[in-house]
Amino acid sequence: MKEQMKELQKLKGIGEVLSQRLVESSYDTIAKVAAAEEKGLERIPGINPQKVRSIVTQARRMTGEAERSRHTWVQDKSD
């Protein structure tokens, strides 16, 4: 649980308490936060509904960057 909480704390606006609540609500990876519906995240106690969109956007960027770095088909633009 601690490792999952640390991963979620990479998102701006997510601290120790909120990361624990996310993990307890089955949002235990950045990918799950990225795939989440905003309304689902808004139900988590203590999450600022006005920051949910920012949190989801950050998570989607992070998962997108990780996905691109894994693929060999992504070529460097300097080629």
Side-chain angles (χ1 to χ4, degrees):
M1 184 173 184
K2 288 282 185 189
E3 289 300 315
Q4 296 161 324
M5 289 171 54
K6 277 188 171 185
E7 178 186 353
L8 294 172
Q9 289 173 24
K10 293 176 184 175
L11 298 167
K12 185 179 176 187
I14 304 293
E16 190 172 337
V17 172
L18 196 48
S19 65
Q20 182 175 349
R21 290 179 182 166
L22 284 164
V23 169
E24 289 169 352
S25 299
S26 298
Y27 295 105
D28 55 357
T29 66
I30 290 177
K32 287 182 181 178
V33 173
E37 294 289 328
E38 291 179 20
K39 292 206 181 293
L41 292 177
E42 288 174 357
R43 292 188 192 118
I44 296 171
I47 199 163
N48 183 337
Q50 297 170 336
K51 301 253 177 160
V52 169
R53 183 171 296 218
S54 169
I55 291 166
V56 171
T57 300
Q58 290 176 67
R60 288 178 180 168
R61 280 192 190 124
M62 291 174 84
T63 55
E65 289 168 8
E67 188 68 23
R68 281 191 296 276
S69 69
R70 275 194 294 214
H71 289 290
T72 56
W73 50 264
V74 177
Q75 294 183 347
D76 187 37
K77 291 185 179 184
S78 63
D79 285 346

